[in-house]
Amino acid sequence: MVSNQKRYNGRFLLLFALSICLGLGGILFAQEQPKPKAKNYDGLQNEDLRYGVLDVNNFLRNNAYRKPEELNEKDLFRIDLYTRQWNKVRDTLQEMPKDLSEKVYGRLLWSFTQGQKPYMSMEDVIGVIDACPCELKSDWLKQLGAISKAVVLPEEQGLFALRLEKGTRLVGGSDPAKKLLAGRILMYATMNDFAKKLLPTSDEASRISDQQVRTEILLFHGALIEVEKQKAELATDTEKEWNKISNDLLNETSRDKQEQLIQKLWQMIANVPAETVAKSVQLLYDRQPNTAFRLVLTIESRVIELQNWLSDSDKREENVKTIVRIGNALDGKAPFTQQPWNQIPDTIATIWIQEVERMVKERPEYEKRRADPNAKMNYVLPETLLELAPKGAWSGVLSKDVTERVTLATVRAMLNCQDSDKAIDLILDVNKRNTLAAGILAQAYLQRWAEQHNPEIPEGVRSRYQLPQGSAIIVTPFMIERNVEGLAKIMEMMRKNNIVPESYEKIMAAFEVCYGSAEVYRAAHIEKVFGPVANMNEELFRALLRSMTTGLGNRWRLLATQTSMITGRGQNQILLMVRAGYGDTVKMVDEWTSKNPDGWKAYCTAATMLSDWADFEYFQELGAATPQARMIAYKEKNSMAAVYFQRAADAYARTVGKLSEKDYTAEVYIAWFNSMLGLNSNGDINLSKAMNQQSLIQLRKAIRALPNNLATAHLKLFSEYIDQKRVDGAKPLPPEIKYKFVASALVVTEDTPFAAKSKDQVDYYNDLLKEVRLQTRIDGSNTISRKQDFGIIISMVHSEAMGRLMKFEKYLQMKAPDQNPNRGNIKRMDIVKNARNEFEKNIYESLAVFFDIKSVTFSPKDVLPRSSEKPGWQETVLAYVQVSVKDASVDRVPPIDMNLDYFDKTGPVQIPVTSPETLIKIVEDKTGPRPHRDVKIVQTLDTRKLFVNGLLKIDVTASGSGLMPDLQDLVNLDVMEKQAPVQKIDDISKGALPKDLMSWSDRIEVTSQRQWSILLDSKPIITAEKDMDFMFPQPRDTNTVVQNETYQDAELVKVAGNVLKLNRSKEHDTVTGVSSNGTVTAVTIPQRSHKGLWLSIAGGIIGIIIIVVIIINRIMNPKERPLRAKDVFHMPEKIDPFVVVRLLRSMSISPLVSLDEKQREQLIKDIQNIEDKCFDPGNTGIEESSLSETARRWLKEVC
Amino acid sequence: MDRKVDSFVKEVRERVAKIVIGQDMMVERVLIALFTGGHLLLQGLPGLAKTLLVMTIAKTIDLKFSRIQFTVDMLPSDVVGSEILDQKTGEYRIHKGPVFTNLLLGDEINRAAPKVQGALLESMQERKVTIGGQTMKLPTPFLVIATQNPVEQSGTFELPEAQLDRFMLLHRLTYPTIPQEEQILHSQLKMGLRKEADGGAVPKTAFDMIDDKPYCSIKDLVVCMEKVQEVHVSDVFVKHCVELVDKTRKSDLLDFGCSPRAGLALINACRARAFVYGRDYVIPEDMFELSEDIILHRMRLSYEAMAEGHTTKEVLNSILSDIS
């Protein structure tokens, strides 16, 4: 026993020692652990934490999307504060040292009472109260009272008081101390009636130890008694009168007199408290049930009448109370199941229902204006109505339909309360009996939910603070997640209970609200809220698609939207987000249609969206992209759109047989057609979409392929749309698209009788074009040499009448643009500034494929029409295009397009005209020169550098009408052969340079100029021993006017005749032959100077010195050491077969490695060995250590 | 069948070697493209026997063969075909373009305007063509072997990166070596004349030497394709393949790296190469040999890298040597 005890004690001591060690170790360990860095909130107690709407938004704008690492503790606290995370605010305050937290909380309350009214709701005020990190102090209660007074609206005061009465974390509830705090807040908020309920009575207050509190409460009671006395005095007069008449009525037996008394009461009802009325009715029923019945009916009628026009919410509330309390007062007394009393409960309930309906109708309007001090509430608060809802036994005898209506009205009232979730149980209950009604209520519930989560700042607040339209509070990613979570729960509940809302648009509205207006919906969220895409109801899916399409087309892509919602996204991020949105939408469509292959509406919406996407990709200004990349994306999306339209048409064709005639629709075909013409669903118009015959035929085939001869009906619908759009005065088509629109429609409808009007219009346009034609012709012969420049004359041939009507000058002058090419929502891919710019672009587009266009010369803007060969017709020359063919295969001038402005009954319209082709013949041989005349040639002999560097040249300039031909066609150069042979002819102007286009004479001519520089061999002149005559080249055509010139020093002088005497002299200023008319017959050329020679020698010596210096430098600084194998090959960090093979292989081919034959063989063998063993699945591989060894061995060998 | 398949590669190589000298690498790339169903772009100057080689292979395997010489004034309908109005009957009929074939040689694709390139590349991607609203599948196998001149040549429209990515391989051709060139000239000297039916004669060219009798059929090709699918790719190989692609994306010298399509193409091509060399598993050699043809055209140098004089090949080599 003793030994056991000893052993026990020993064990105990051991354990004790061990625990001491552990404890000490723990302490030491704890001491060694780095302490978490203390958060630094210093200075927060001095910061301005105001809560005005601008304060909140400004802070969040700058900080909400900053990177977390850039934010300090104080920033995080303020983010919590301004995103209304009151629990987090409280937690943070509690984390701070006590002293600091009290100072910060005090600072918060002080800030909230400064500057603008705090941008808070009633719930926020409760959050602020509960965020207090310690006991609430008297000063704080006063500030909380002031905040409550500013924030809580009069109609919310009852609810606010109720919340405080029920109790929050720090105030109210059953604890007397907390109740006192709640009462004091209400007292300081001057919500006297409600404060009175929570504050202790005067007697109780007199026992409060805190003198200040005691005095305040006693004073409050005293003041209240005084006020109530005054009120009572005012009320008693009418009430006394009512009581007197009621007493008279009790004792009156004469029916006539009873009626007179009832009439008197009738007039007073509106000014007598409900309790008084109910009591009177109760007393009367006890004594005279029949009279009481008549009085109740009278009161009901009066209330119904009053409620029809009363706008004062208090009076309306009192009336409803009167009528409901009469029902309650007679409950259990009056025989409500028997005639005639059985109609009373239904009437009472109906009055209540009507009041609920009024509230539902008026409340949204009032909510919008509630911040306006002039706005008055004209309905009874939903919370009050719920208190007054039929409850007693009398409500049990209501007729069946009224009972149902009461239930529905109750739900509606609940939905309008702050806590609308309570309505869910009732909706589920209604759903068991009436699914349709449940659907409507569910929709109302969603609408209410959306209202509660709507980030838009109410109109009143917005206008008060002069914020821009559509201003909203920031929807942070956290809020989005929370909203989505909430909505997902509601939708899940609806799905589980098979509640189908009346319209899915409301659901989408709620979903939009979740996101704010700047966020593209995410696929994961969509699935969370609406369930798997493939299982979505068609109507819902379409609503979702529409919402996505509208968002992508009109909102999310706009930088302004992103900026106003302070998302912090840059342009590239917006671009990526929008692209992802479009991509996700297409994927959703694919997913949904995989299960609903006949969902033509979904296909159609997707196709329309793809068409919008194509234009977005081309015109977007968010991210940089080359025109080519834009075009690729544009075409890709348009091709996809065409595929989806075809699928939509096919799906519609499959379902149309099941539709009744009134449900036939051309929606798919119209959307397809509009997409082809660039009329986008978001209102944007892309003018650059050409009329695509092939696609139009595809559309036509799709309509014609409809089964059971339904094509005619649909063509009719399609034609009706075209007619309506064609003459739509409210939103007319742009002039550029009108013709294309009608002409394209005709390709689809062909000669259907329904398209007669469109056909008439196109015929009218075509008739116009019979009187005006665009034409091209060649200047001169149509046989053209392969390398020759020639001119194409472009002109309008028109009747005299059309010549007067059409204004051609706009195509000829570069005036300021008539209109912005990308005006509003109208866009075009090419930047066309004005009509001439467009005309020029058309010329280049048509001709550049086959010709090198050298120049385009336009007629002057005041060009007059010339008479034409055809009587009554005229020609207006527009342009002269100087071209040369690209290759010998060109055989025609292709058609050129032009848009003619016209005005028809629907307004301005642009009609496209096209020139016919003009045939030409290209020959390899040289043909004669192109037409030219009145040529003037100026030849300038330049001898200035003859004895400097031997340069001798003649500059020749030819000008005249027509395109100036080649030099050899103009002058004979043979004469140069003996005196100074031609070395080189340089065509300085690279062909003729047209200047003006003239069409007023009998010919159409372009004036042009051309310049050459002829380099001559100067040897014969330099080596000549004596002076010599220089003869200028002679013109081939005797009509050509020639002017010869030369330089005398720097002066340009005319030469008399064709010959110039070149005098040689060692002196600089020698005599020159000058004739009487100022022209020269001879010039003196100074002899060669040796100055150049000496300069050359000096330059050569300097060059040699430089080379020597470079060579010495090279010798002194030898090149870097060459690379060696060990610089290149290293042991890999990680060893696997791939890496080792790479290393060995590199060794095998590296020039740095020198291996003998045997080594090389071994290396290749090793590589093959690893490859066979490690990559062939049939082998087991090689150990890493072995691989490592191989690598190391070879490294050793080669390095 | 098996015997044929086993000797398939050998036979094709031998037949081509008889006609085309010094382009064994190009034959290998064509075979890889054929076995994997990918498309091949050959870059090099004219006169390197591209057409001759492709035609020889087409005849050896009994494939339908078409050739398009791209020019600047071609229209998309010249490639895919068009709808034509028959003036006698007043009806439209479809005229199928040269794209309806098994083996299409597109010569100088970068001479064509972007819309024509787009039409061809679209049909390569989709393997179907829409003409006059009618969509038609292209025959299988459908392989495009396009050639392009070096892009800096004038009168060319550079294929954008997104479209280059459609080509599984871009092989850069080089001139034959001097002995090979001597051999080419010697063989030409021995060809002689071809007598025509009208009594005249023309000098024979290498095209006349092509054996018209096919050695194997499309069925044999399909069997080869199946065999390629069975080639084993080890995990370590896949890992390094992914590493290679990833490094192209992370390189500071590149504006953008390779898409996952590049990784897929690399693995597939390596399998085909392994098959060509008679192996049923891939080895690192395959990757090193093919990476230039598969990766290089999918990378773009950054502006700074270009300014510093780097080249994509140099960047790729550096990435390959960094694989660890």
Side-chain angles (χ1 to χ4, degrees), chain A residues 256-288:
Chain A
D256 289 345
K257 285 194 175 170
Q258 281 175 346
E259 280 303 313
Q260 283 172 6
L261 292 171
I262 287 172
Q263 284 307 311
K264 280 183 182 173
L265 290 176
W266 180 86
Q267 287 173 346
M268 296 161 72
I269 285 168
N271 299 317
V272 181
E275 286 302 326
T276 311
V277 176
K279 198 174 172 188
S280 303
V281 172
Q282 196 178 7
L283 286 171
L284 187 61
Y285 181 83
D286 289 343
R287 202 170 295 179
Q288 294 189 46

Side-chain angles (χ1 to χ4, degrees), chain A residues 1136 1138 1142 1145 1171-1172, chain B residues 234 240 281 283 285 321 323:
Chain A
D1136 68 26
F1138 191 99
R1142 180 185 63 75
R1145 184 180 174 279
E1171 283 176 349
D1172 289 346
Chain B
S234 63
H240 286 289
Y281 55 91
I283 57 171
E285 179 79 14
S321 63
I323 287 182

Side-chain angles (χ1 to χ4, degrees), chain A residues 1171 1175-1177, chain B residues 5-6 9 13 28-29 31-33 35-36 168 224 227-234 237 265-290 294:
Chain A
E1171 283 176 349
F1175 293 94
D1176 185 349
Chain B
V5 168
D6 289 344
V9 174
R13 283 191 148 168
E28 184 188 305
R29 298 302 191 257
L31 286 173
I32 289 171
F35 293 154
T36 53
M168 182 186 189
C224 289
K227 292 259 180 202
V228 167
Q229 294 297 315
E230 289 165 13
V231 171
H232 173 73
V233 182
S234 63
F237 188 90
L266 187 56
I267 294 262
N268 283 334
C270 287
R271 283 174 126 186
R273 188 175 182 277
F275 176 77
V276 167
Y277 282 90
R279 275 183 274 114
D280 56 1
Y281 55 91
V282 294
I283 57 171
E285 179 79 14
D286 296 324
M287 187 203 281
F288 292 118
E289 283 299 316
L290 290 172
I294 288 170

Side-chain angles (χ1 to χ4, degrees), chain B residues 11-21 52 56 183 187 191 206 209 211:
Chain B
E11 181 66 25
V12 172
R13 283 191 148 168
E14 278 175 7
R15 279 209 189 194
V16 175
K18 276 184 206 163
I19 314 288
V20 186
I21 294 156
L52 182 63
T56 311
Q183 206 181 335
S187 64
M191 280 181 189
M209 310 305 286
D211 190 347

